[in-house]
Amino acid sequence: MADANAQDRATEIQNVTGSAPVVHEDITVKWFLLSSVAYFFIVGIVAVVIAAKFVWPELLSTVSYFTYGRMRPLHVNGMLFGWLLACDMALIFYVVPRLCGVKLWSEKLGVATGILWNIIILSAVVCLLMGWTSGLEYAELPLPLDVLVVVAWIMFGANIFMTIATRKYQQMYVSIWYIMGTILWTAFVYLTGNFATLFATGVNQANLNWMYVHNAVGLIFTPAGLALAYYFIPRSSNLPLHSHKLSMIGFWSLAFVYVWTGAHHMLHGPISQWLQTIAIAFSVMLIIPVWAVVFNLFATIKGHWHEMGENVPLKFLMSGVVFYLLTCFQGPMHSLRAVNAIVSKTDWIPGHAHMAVLGAFSFFAIAGTYYILPRIFRTELHSQPLAQWSYWFFMSGGLGFFVTLWLGGFWQGWQWNNPAIPFIDTVIALGPVWLVRFFSGILMFAGIICFAYNVMATALGEKKALAA
Amino acid sequence: MLQKADTNFGFAIAASLGIFFIGGILTTVAPPLIDKTWAKPFSNDDPSKGPTGQLKPYTEQELKGRAIYVREGCTYCHTQQTRTILADTKRSGWRGVDSPVSTPDEFVYDAPHLFGTKRTGPDLSRVGGKYDQQWHRTHFRNPRDLVPGSVMPPFPWIAANEEEFQAMVAYLQTLGRAKNWRPDNDYEK
């Protein structure tokens, strides 16, 4: 793997087969990438508004479309599917043909998928603000849009699988398994969360819903994010992956362990105790795949940490790995009943969720974007300093957000567990926490502006010749 | 096995799906077959076995109110579960009486379920009968008129629409009422 990672795949093919290097068109990549970055910016505005509503509850409160209960699902779905998943798909469209040494199976199909995806996201914005929602968390989109998502996912999956099936190398690099896993598991996880739930009620439906919610993160964003980390860390550092075998252990234990944990969202709740215990046991076991991955990536970069200074993609990637480790340590810990009794349902939870989705997986996606931009647009990145600024805005805003909500959430949980404190006093106590969270949100949004401007300026601005 | 998954496309697909389906099926399809209380509506007339009462299906008006609850995203700030935590039974309690914990058989007619994951406002699993219609009307117009320090958004368009308002209150008054848990039967209408 050392050579495979250190060398450019195209030249390798030329050496091995004697045929001309593959020229990648990357039209699909550009479609997905630019639209995902646009949604990152738009939904970022929604994010700042709902954070402000905690501090100034009257803000925009006379317009039903902009009430908190409608904007929050827009924020969650917009960030997950409009930004992160679309950006992951762009990067997968970039990575897979290069790891397989062939062109993307069909650029036409890819572009059609990109257009369909945009139709879905724009319709979702309208539906959610109108209050047309299925009411199930993470699965709020109304049924017709769910069907379109399935169609788009099949188009995406077919394109990627056909590319892999026609690959020039027999051995599949780690990223390829993770990408195949993402596509297959997502199909079933999505069907469970959006279609199987139609035939269930009450606790049974909640159980299916949590299976979906948890695995949307665990079996969609985790394997997609790790596929990118496994590709872009060796790529942007020019170092070989530490251990191929360890990456296999990480992958197969993830495949087995993750799906069992859904019921940990209902600990102490009205769901069978034995199912809660199973979910706890498997949540603790998650430490195995996480540590296998994190050790492997840390060992890869060992002795080269200082290179993060100048190298923006590497900076985002390794910070993302650290956040991944932290968030996946928190997860098992607050699955334990004693800890859960304090943190569950508090503001700790959004702190935890944002570290996973923003701190780890969005950082991987941002890193990938910075890495591929000059390569797909065949120009230099518009501005290196601006890229550095985006990192520090995301980092300071993110840390401010996570840490404040953990402390605030823990404090809130303790207050709740003392019934002598009236509930409203526990709300008033959180006021300063929510104010700091709002300002941290502003910092993160500044990061989005620097990132999005840099991407758009590189894509649409004047092309500069690449140095050598 | 690991080596084979590394090079064989079909085997990698089959293995990753197979491993996924073990946990997938055991945690989603199996539990409702094993635990029958998930699907059987609550019914008890023996006081020695805990709170008595019966879970009734929602009326048309209550369902309309429930749909408004879903439309406005109330569930993002209000949970509907009194958990097996002492403080929860105290907080869901009323006038010195602790509330019973929520059980699966109380939610059989709920679709979509509204258990919730975040408690920015208080839990609503036992709110039924605690406040009268006038209280709710004032509270929907502006929560801070009744609860200073509240961060709940006002919902003037519900308070102003008589049909929606009546439906909403009808639904809220059903919450937690399957279990007849208040000794004096002092429920507000």
Side-chain angles (χ1 to χ4, degrees):
Chain A
M1 288 318 293
D3 290 339
N5 279 314
Q7 287 183 21
D8 191 59
R9 277 285 197 180
T11 44
E12 198 191 340
I13 289 190
Q14 204 171 14
N15 296 340
V16 174
T17 63
S19 60
V22 181
V23 179
H24 300 285
E25 293 172 53
D26 294 327
I27 305 165
T28 312
V29 178
K30 291 174 190 168
W31 262 92
F32 270 97
L33 195 74
L34 294 185
S35 45
S36 73
V37 171
Y39 292 126
F40 198 16
F41 176 76
I42 295 166
V43 183
I45 299 172
V46 176
V48 173
V49 169
I50 63 174
K53 277 168 172 283
F54 277 82
V55 187
W56 302 283
E58 310 282 345
L59 180 74
L60 291 174
S61 68
T62 51
V63 190
S64 63
Y65 312 111
F66 300 130
T67 197
Y68 177 84
R70 298 194 193 182
M71 288 187 90
R72 200 202 93 145
L74 176 60
H75 166 60
V76 172
N77 284 281
M79 281 302 183
L80 289 185
F81 300 109
W83 147 244
L84 187 52
L85 190 55
C87 189
D88 281 351
M89 284 158 89
L91 297 170
I92 287 171
F93 275 123
Y94 174 90
V95 166
V96 169
R98 283 163 176 83
L99 281 177
C100 292
V102 290
K103 280 188 172 194
L104 182 67
W105 184 62
S106 165
E107 287 284 355
K108 270 190 190 136
L109 181 63
V111 171
T113 317
I115 293 170
L116 179 57
W117 200 260
N118 275 287
I119 293 172
I120 294 168
I121 302 297
L122 292 173
S123 317
V125 173
V126 176
C127 290
L128 294 174
L129 290 183
M130 293 300 289
W132 300 333
T133 162
S134 76
L136 296 170
E137 230 176 326
Y138 281 38
E140 282 94 348
L141 301 196
L143 194 60
L145 291 185
D146 293 340
V147 174
L148 290 184
V149 171
V150 174
V151 172
W153 198 255
I154 292 171
M155 290 161 71
F156 169 65
N159 214 347
I160 296 298
F161 273 83
M162 288 310 290
T163 309
I164 299 173
T166 55
R167 70 191 185 282
K168 285 210 174 138
Y169 310 102
Q170 200 200 6
Q171 196 181 31
M172 292 178 284
Y173 181 61
V174 209
S175 298
I176 301 266
W177 324 326
Y178 274 106
I179 287 164
M180 293 200 298
T182 308
I183 293 170
L184 294 168
W185 297 326
T186 301
F188 290 97
V189 167
Y190 196 83
L191 290 175
T192 308
N194 293 278
F195 296 93
T197 44
L198 296 174
F199 305 99
T201 62
V203 172
N204 192 2
Q205 190 191 46
N207 187 45
L208 297 174
N209 187 198
W210 300 140
M211 185 271 193
Y212 162 72
V213 166
H214 198 79
N215 292 305
V217 181
L219 293 176
I220 300 178
F221 294 110
T222 300
L226 293 182
L228 303 176
Y230 270 119
Y231 180 83
F232 287 111
I233 288 177
R235 273 288 173 196
S236 52
S237 63
N238 269 328
L239 295 164
L241 183 68
H242 169 71
S243 162
H244 184 61
K245 197 167 259 171
L246 200 55
S247 62
M248 296 179 117
I249 294 170
F251 177 78
W252 292 104
S253 52
L254 178 95
F256 181 65
V257 173
Y258 231 115
V259 67
W260 296 75
T261 58
H264 72 199
H265 289 258
M266 290 271 290
L267 292 185
H268 300 108
I271 195 165
S272 317
Q273 285 294 330
W274 54 268
L275 191 58
Q276 297 185 23
T277 307
I278 290 174
I280 294 170
F282 277 87
S283 301
V284 174
M285 275 193 256
L286 276 180
I287 291 176
I288 301 167
V290 170
W291 189 240
V293 168
V294 170
F295 181 85
N296 209 352
L297 297 176
F298 279 172
T300 301
I301 209 79
K302 193 178 167 210
H304 296 265
W305 285 92
H306 59 277
E307 288 169 21
M308 280 171 67
E310 291 303 307
N311 189 334
V312 175
L314 197 59
K315 215 171 188 145
F316 273 105
L317 285 163
M318 294 321 289
S319 313
V321 177
V322 174
F323 282 134
Y324 178 65
L325 174 64
L326 285 176
T327 197
C328 291
F329 181 71
Q330 279 184 341
M333 288 308 115
H334 55 221
S335 296
L336 303 176
R337 283 194 174 88
V339 183
N340 190 273
I342 300 168
V343 300
S344 182
K345 319 282 184 279
T346 67
D347 278 84
W348 168 289
I349 302 300
H352 165 72
H354 280 81
M355 182 162 61
V357 176
L358 176 88
F361 304 129
S362 291
F363 270 31
F364 293 156
I366 292 168
T369 304
Y370 277 133
Y371 180 88
I372 72 170
L373 268 179
R375 289 167 173 84
I376 58 173
F377 289 105
R378 295 179 173 66
T379 176
E380 272 179 54
L381 186 67
H382 171 72
S383 163
Q384 280 294 338
L386 200 58
Q388 293 279 9
W389 274 102
S390 74
Y391 173 83
W392 289 108
F393 276 131
F394 276 121
M395 194 63 176
S396 53
L399 278 177
F401 187 106
F402 311 149
V403 175
T404 321
L405 287 191
W406 297 333
L407 297 175
F410 223 86
W411 183 35
Q412 189 182 26
W414 268 327
Q415 291 181 328
W416 287 353
N417 277 290
N418 177 1
I421 303 173
F423 190 86
I424 187 62
D425 289 357
T426 72
V427 175
I428 294 167
L430 266 272
V433 170
W434 289 329
L435 189 64
V436 175
R437 188 257 300 268
F438 169 69
F439 285 114
S440 306
I442 296 275
L443 283 177
M444 294 196 282
F445 188 62
I448 295 180
I449 293 174
C450 296
F451 169 66
Y453 179 78
N454 216 348
V455 171
M456 294 302 172
T458 308
L460 309 172
E462 197 186 335
K463 302 279 181 278
K464 288 172 261 185
L466 276 177
Chain B
M1 187 203 109
L2 287 181
Q3 230 58 44
K4 196 170 177 193
D6 211 9
T7 49
N8 187 323
F9 184 55
F11 184 81
I13 292 176
S16 51
L17 275 185
I19 285 179
F20 165 80
F21 270 113
I22 299 172
I25 288 172
L26 284 178
T27 54
T28 57
V29 180
L33 299 174
I34 297 168
D35 193 336
K36 301 289 182 200
T37 65
W38 287 22
K40 198 171 132 265
F42 172 77
S43 174
N44 178 31
D45 43 24
D46 180 359
S48 68
K49 284 184 188 160
T52 57
Q54 202 175 7
L55 179 71
K56 294 189 213 93
Y58 294 109
T59 66
E60 207 174 304
Q61 190 191 32
E62 289 158 6
L63 280 177
K64 205 172 274 170
R66 202 170 191 280
I68 299 167
Y69 190 101
V70 171
R71 182 189 75 197
E72 301 300 344
C74 307
T75 191
Y76 297 112
C77 293
H78 295 286
T79 54
Q80 287 189 15
Q81 42 179 322
T82 302
R83 296 171 297 166
T84 52
I85 291 176
L86 185 66
D88 265 29
T89 65
K90 302 266 183 209
R91 290 197 181 279
S92 292
W94 187 240
R95 293 177 185 155
V97 182
D98 292 354
S99 134
V101 297
S102 300
T103 49
D105 48 16
E106 291 179 70
F107 302 94
V108 185
Y109 300 120
D110 284 13
H113 77 85
L114 297 169
F115 291 113
T117 47
K118 178 77 188 0
R119 208 172 260 184
T120 304
D123 181 78
L124 299 182
S125 57
R126 301 282 176 220
V127 82
K130 283 185 184 173
Y131 306 100
D132 64 13
Q133 232 184 49
Q134 192 49 50
W135 188 93
H136 279 298
R137 195 186 295 275
T138 315
H139 191 251
F140 277 127
R141 269 201 203 117
N142 186 6
R144 275 154 295 284
D145 287 350
L146 288 173
V147 190
S150 165
V151 294
M152 178 167 148
F155 290 92
W157 55 92
I158 297 178
N161 180 330
E162 200 52 30
E163 197 196 342
E164 287 207 344
F165 174 73
Q166 295 290 346
M168 190 72 201
V169 175
Y171 167 64
L172 291 176
Q173 301 298 29
T174 67
L175 291 175
R177 292 283 296 278
K179 285 188 177 164
N180 208 4
W181 59 283
R182 294 238 289 276
D184 300 334
N185 225 21
D186 52 349
Y187 300 106
E188 303 281 355
K189 291 228 171 65

